Amino acid sequence: MSDVELVLRSTRVITPEGTRAATVAVTGGTITAVLPYDTDVPPGARLTDLGDDVLLPGLVDTHVHVNDPGRTEWEGFWTATRAAAAGGITTLVDMPLNSLPPTTTVDHLRVKREVAAAKAHIDVGFWGGALPDNVKDLRPLHEAGVFGFKAFLSPSGVEEFPHLDEERLAAALAEIASFDGLLIVHAEDPHHLEAAPQRGGPRYADFLASRPRDAEDTAIARLIAQAKRFDARVHILHLSSADALPLIAAAKAEGVRLTVETCPHYLTLTAEEVPDGASEFKCCPPIREAANQDLLWRALADGTIDCVVTDHSPSTADLKTADFATAWGGISGLQLSLAAVWTAARARGHGLEDVVRWMSERTSRLAGLDRKGAIAPGRDADFAVLAPDETFTVDPAALQHRNRVTAYAGKTLHGVVRSTWLRGERVVAGGEFTAPKGHLLTRTP
């Protein structure tokens, strides 16, 4: 204990063994011990007494569209990582599309890393992209440290990132399985989308009808079949259709190497409450009905759904038109994800330990970030300090996102993030940020 530099003390520390009063010792940015609450502070160590605020491991968000470089007017590493830090997120993994160039070659990855290096307030990793014509680039990207590969089974919404048909999906998955990589998939079937009614206009009901559940269900069935064929690791992104849950549960029971995420907006917002013309609620797949949401929560509780991530997908305000057919599809949620999920979780009888499991422990495991996701010796000293019973009303003007368009405007949420720490250094407290301290992460070999 003589080399301890920092001690954080709280009556409520969330550890892998449960929540307890504890003293957490930090040396060189690493947690070195989790000790009884009344342990003496070593000489020379700095003590931060958090009182009854909860000390939890920093969240790990593995689904973020930063859009930098190329579309930085939509977001950017500076604003995205500040928003994340303000919301208790200490690590994000950036999606390969909506930036220009997309992260689909080693050269493109190098460009993105150079842009992010000086702007990251938290740690940042990168997904690669799987396109119809870049199978040859997948292994080099894997060796360069991307955490896996994103693919679409239906049009992505940007021309530079085309989707994979059945044949190209098989080719990409065969290559990725050859080095035991991870394919993460936007699973909607294009044929079902084309067959759905496309009315356009401001009515949310019309938009919902244009993205039917069976588009997700069919694409997920295709993906599971290919995962079985190649014994490949696959991850279903942003699940919104509860109809797919029995298929997913059966595949997991068979031993298919399958994981699944959902998002705060599917767990906290419902189709019934979306006003017509309010395209800040538009995302793909869409926010569905309350009865569907209940089943997602049940699947999260029983482990059929593994984790919760934001799918933060911002745009400039002018792209959020009142016509759901033409408006950009994406919800900005980085800064509010913890509070939104915690608000809904507590109302359903879940505790903060559950939220940590869904938003930190399992997301860390998904990306193979073995130094993140827990308050335990040997892990990075990444923390969020939360006042779980305090509430706030969402004011878009108070958000750190570059474009302050939010589906949560005016909502009262539980959980105020007092401060966020990265490797034992406070990066934000009371709205005040330090200079960027984030590291660029690569996949652990």
Side-chain angles (χ1 to χ4, degrees), residues 17 57 63 86 94 96 126 132 136 148 184 187 209 239 241 248 253 280 298-299 319 336 426:
E17 294 76 35
H63 194 150
D94 174 59
F126 302 93
K136 69 183 185 305
I184 65 173
L239 180 73
S241 171
I248 291 166
E280 61 269 27
R298 188 179 303 172
L319 297 180
L336 301 172
R426 195 160 19 204

Side-chain angles (χ1 to χ4, degrees), residues 323-335:
D323 183 341
F324 276 100
T326 60
W328 176 257
I331 289 182
S332 295
L334 270 175
Q335 189 167 335

Side-chain angles (χ1 to χ4, degrees), residues 135-392:
V135 170
K136 69 183 185 305
D137 295 299
L138 300 179
R139 186 180 291 270
L141 277 165
H142 178 77
E143 292 171 351
V146 299
F147 288 88
F149 302 91
K150 166 78 173 283
F152 280 77
L153 302 188
S154 58
S156 71
V158 290
E159 292 183 3
E160 67 275 5
F161 206 96
H163 69 285
L164 303 181
D165 61 18
E166 192 79 13
E167 180 181 352
R168 301 298 176 84
L169 171 63
L173 202 51
E175 175 67 5
I176 292 167
S178 73
F179 50 78
D180 200 31
L182 173 65
L183 183 70
I184 65 173
V185 183
H186 181 124
E188 288 183 287
D189 180 75
H191 306 295
H192 283 76
L193 295 179
E194 290 168 5
Q198 303 293 328
R199 297 188 181 91
R203 294 185 69 241
Y204 186 74
D206 290 336
F207 171 65
L208 188 58
S210 76
R211 312 293 296 209
R213 297 187 200 187
D214 59 7
E216 279 190 86
D217 307 337
T218 300
I220 288 169
R222 286 174 52 203
L223 182 62
I224 289 171
Q226 295 282 24
K228 288 181 183 178
R229 176 183 174 189
F230 296 107
D231 188 26
R233 297 167 57 216
V234 296
H235 177 73
I236 296 169
L237 298 167
H238 46 50
L239 180 73
S240 82
S241 171
D243 290 351
L245 291 168
L247 183 65
I248 291 166
K252 287 188 167 191
E254 286 181 47
V256 178
R257 302 169 74 192
L258 176 69
T259 51
V260 183
E261 70 184 36
T262 193
C263 303
H265 37 277
Y266 301 132
L267 297 171
T268 64
L269 306 172
T270 62
E272 291 89 341
E273 70 182 285
V274 179
D276 288 345
S279 66
E280 61 269 27
F281 290 85
K282 179 183 175 180
C283 56
C284 299
I287 294 165
R288 303 193 188 276
E289 301 84 356
N292 182 85
Q293 183 183 92
D294 291 341
L295 294 173
L296 294 180
W297 273 104
R298 188 179 303 172
L300 191 59
D302 69 21
T304 304
I305 297 174
D306 297 271
C307 56
V308 180
V309 296
T310 61
D311 188 12
H312 177 75
S313 184
S315 72
T316 52
D318 61 294
L319 297 180
K320 285 293 193 179
T321 67
D323 183 341
F324 276 100
T326 60
W328 176 257
I331 289 182
S332 295
L334 270 175
Q335 189 167 335
L336 301 172
S337 60
L338 172 57
V341 173
W342 168 231
T343 299
R346 62 184 279 152
R348 292 174 179 266
H350 296 287
L352 270 175
E353 291 177 12
D354 298 318
V355 175
V356 166
R357 184 169 63 255
W358 301 326
M359 302 182 76
S360 187
E361 175 192 332
R362 288 183 180 167
T363 48
S364 299
R365 187 185 307 161
L366 172 69
L369 290 165
D370 56 6
R371 291 186 60 87
K372 309 293 185 182
I375 297 179
R379 304 294 184 109
D380 287 345
D382 298 351
F383 309 112
V385 178
L386 185 73
D389 300 319
E390 290 195 19
T391 62
F392 66 99

